[in-house]
Amino acid sequence: MAELNVVLVAADRKVWSGAAREVSAPSVDGQVGILAGHAPLLAVLRPGTVKVSTGRTTAVEAKVTGGFVSVDGDLVTIVVDEVSELSGREPALR
């Protein structure tokens, strides 16, 4: 299965980056699920939970206060105002 390149950043730091199979994010228009090959997208995020999965496991789960998500090809960029909670595997910062 194809992979996504994901970058999750907050206003003050890089939170996580790496390869993933799926991203789920809370947009103001509803929950957005992103897989490889997704159409280009720019969406505003509402407060909620961003999940990045690497197959069967959740690589990172971050409670965010808002921001935006951009999809261009297989690159997913998530820019958030603030991360209030962070869980999952140790963040893969690059």
Side-chain angles (χ1 to χ4, degrees), residues 48-71:
T49 303
V50 171
K51 293 181 186 177
V52 179
S53 300
T54 58
R56 295 181 184 169
T57 62
T58 299
V60 66
E61 192 169 308
K63 291 195 179 190
V64 302
T65 59
F68 71 89
V69 60
S70 168
V71 179

Side-chain angles (χ1 to χ4, degrees), residues 47-50 61-66 80 82-87:
T49 303
V50 171
E61 192 169 308
K63 291 195 179 190
V64 302
T65 59
V80 299
E82 183 180 333
V83 175
S84 61
E85 284 184 42
L86 184 64
S87 63

Side-chain angles (χ1 to χ4, degrees), residues 7-87:
V7 178
L8 171 60
V9 296
D12 61 342
R13 64 190 165 110
K14 187 173 189 178
V15 177
W16 190 90
S17 70
R21 297 281 173 120
E22 179 181 5
V23 174
S24 176
S27 84
V28 294
D29 294 324
Q31 197 70 16
V32 175
I34 302 164
L35 298 170
H38 196 285
L41 170 75
L42 180 60
V44 176
L45 298 179
R46 63 176 166 75
T49 303
V50 171
K51 293 181 186 177
V52 179
S53 300
T54 58
R56 295 181 184 169
T57 62
T58 299
V60 66
E61 192 169 308
K63 291 195 179 190
V64 302
T65 59
F68 71 89
V69 60
S70 168
V71 179
D72 185 19
D74 287 332
L75 174 62
V76 179
T77 305
I78 307 161
V79 179
V80 299
D81 300 326
E82 183 180 333
V83 175
S84 61
E85 284 184 42
L86 184 64
S87 63

